[in-house]
Amino acid sequence: MSYANEIYENLVKKFPEEKEFHQTAKEVLESISVVIEENEELYRKNALLERLVEPERSVIFRVPWEDDNGVVHVNTGYRVQFNGAIGPYKGGLRFHPSVRLGTMKFLAFEQTFKNSLTGLPIGGGKGGSDFDPIGKSDNEIRRFCVSFMTELYRHIGPDRDVPAGDLGVSGKEIGYLFGQYRRIKGCYENGVITGKALSFGGSKIRPEATGYGITYFLQEMLADRNDKIEGKTIAISGCGNVAWGAAKKMVELGAKVVTLSDPSGYIYDPNGLNDEKVEYMLEIRANNLPIETFAKKFNLEFVKGKRPWEKKVDIVVPCATQNELEIEDAKKLVENGTIIICEGSNMPCSLDATEYIEKNGITLGPSKAANAGGVAVSALEMSQDSMRYHWSEEEVDAKLLGIMKEIFAQSKQMSVKYNTTLSQGANIAGFIKVADAMLKQGNY
Ligand code: NDP
């Protein structure tokens, strides 16, 4: 049995319930297998892969909070500090009822390679809670955030671990979390969390960064085949932060974005979104409105209970959640002549869908590379906070563009060197830097 397989099998045996973590570990280990084989003796001697798949630390804590009727509830909080070899742990906080330790491990593991790819000094982490913000009042959300930070603060810091937002955690929650951190610490360490408002150390372009970055990565993928984004028909899923940023930049660059979705179904706009519709996405998200509201407002088709992948488009950009594109969807995309899937959400394609897509001529832009723009601008936010200085919108956007071009170039270079797909090339590029740092720092 190969070294990579041994590690994977042990993982499944040891943590049988962590299915999403198995999925990402398998994907990464398989794609870096050529590098593992080249360096097997060195890696085995230093237990490099054993260390790579084990978080440096996982913190689990209770989060009691009081609702508006004075009733106390208890949720579980998590922070997984997966790999700090190249910088302080960095990764978002997710508030969603589906959150378990396995979800956090999957996301923190992915984050390790993504952060490495950005070329910036940030390690991999992730956190969150099974708290469901939907249907909660503003005061309940604030009380939850205060309680969550009252435990989390002792594990984080600007040079230690720097959380940010993710599903269910946006600017409002970041404000409440930072407010409580500042109160407890009694000093102004605003580099401890990113995604802040501009008034207390946020960065220009951070809300747009993930979606803009995806679009810049997509442009690189298209340029690589002597093509361009202008005039392309694009299906986007979700209607949240990532979907909004991607739609905004894609529309600006002349693409036709024809779908948006949520768990209830999708809307179809054959003429493509315009600026007004992109702007309205913010209202949908801010007020938790169902996507059908969007269809009603603009008199568009709403397809209930289905995913947008059944429509014939040139490019598909999943921006909702993990495993939102499965094997039957992949078959449909191949049938419809889709040329590119550029992954906005983390791990949107199931393993069999990924395999089918890549075997059947669709180029896949992997999420670890394509959606790294968000964390890259978060790292730029940390730099600005350290300098006590702000860059202009143009400066941040130019840096983001440069980072996304470099991520594509590295992924492509590795895929050529090792004769692999672009996704595998991205994993290899991310892994090599982390592995080098781990080996050079001794066996921690
Ligand atoms: P948001 O919560 O802002 O938006 C998520 C959107 O997807 C919402 O419209 C949500 O609808 C929809 N959605 C959720 N589950 C499903 C489902 N099963 N089927 C269809 N639609 C669904 O999150 P973000 O946009 O921030 O994040 C989206 C993805 O991108 C996640 O995978 C996240 O980890 C990843 N990501 C985010 C980054 C960021 O900077 N925000 C950075 C890198 C990755 P509803 O609200 O009705 O549930």
Side-chain angles (χ1 to χ4, degrees), residues 222-274:
L222 285 161
D224 192 49
R225 44 193 292 153
N226 295 318
D227 207 342
K228 57 182 177 13
I229 194 167
E230 197 185 344
K232 290 284 179 297
T233 314
I234 302 182
I236 288 183
S237 64
C239 187
N241 173 262
V242 176
W244 165 75
K248 189 169 173 203
K249 188 49 93 180
M250 287 171 191
V251 170
E252 186 189 312
L253 295 173
K256 211 155 107 177
V257 175
V258 295
T259 66
L260 297 171
S261 71
D262 74 5
S264 69
Y266 73 93
I267 63 108
Y268 180 60
D269 184 354
N271 297 319
L273 303 182
N274 56 20

Side-chain angles (χ1 to χ4, degrees), residues 158-183:
D159 295 316
R160 189 171 181 188
D161 183 355
V162 183
D166 188 65
L167 293 183
V169 179
S170 55
K172 181 172 77 177
E173 291 78 13
I174 295 290
Y176 295 148
L177 289 163
F178 176 63
Q180 179 65 0
Y181 180 85
R182 189 167 75 78
R183 195 172 303 149

Side-chain angles (χ1 to χ4, degrees), residues 139-158:
N139 274 330
E140 288 171 336
I141 289 177
R142 183 178 48 74
R143 284 194 291 269
F144 178 81
C145 289
V146 165
S147 179
F148 186 83
M149 185 52 86
T150 301
E151 172 58 33
L152 186 69
Y153 89 95
R154 69 190 80 235
H155 308 290
I156 61 176

Side-chain angles (χ1 to χ4, degrees), residues 94 96 106-107 111 114 126 134 165-170 206-207 209-211 214 237-244 261-265 284-285 288-291 306-308 318-322 324 344-348 367 371-375 378:
R94 175 175 291 195
H96 192 274
F106 132 59
L107 290 164
Q111 197 80 47
K114 181 188 306 190
K126 200 85 187 185
I134 294 180
D166 188 65
L167 293 183
V169 179
S170 55
R206 177 60 189 93
T210 308
I214 291 162
S237 64
C239 187
N241 173 262
V242 176
W244 165 75
S261 71
D262 74 5
S264 69
I284 292 274
R285 181 166 181 258
N288 276 322
L289 300 172
I291 198 70
K306 293 257 177 81
R307 293 167 173 173
C319 293
T321 190
Q322 63 264 23
E324 55 169 312
S345 42
N346 286 316
M347 202 173 74
S367 57
N371 74 19
V375 74
S378 274

Side-chain angles (χ1 to χ4, degrees), residues 9 24 59 62 65 96 123 130 176 184 189 232 240 253 255 263-264 346 359 379 383-384 388 392 400 433:
E9 304 265 302
T24 181
V59 186
R62 73 167 178 243
W65 59 279
H96 192 274
D130 56 356
Y176 295 148
I184 298 174
E189 293 177 341
K232 290 284 179 297
L253 295 173
S264 69
N346 286 316
K359 274 201 181 128
S383 306
Q384 294 170 83
R388 307 262 184 245
S392 68
L400 172 63
K433 184 174 167 191

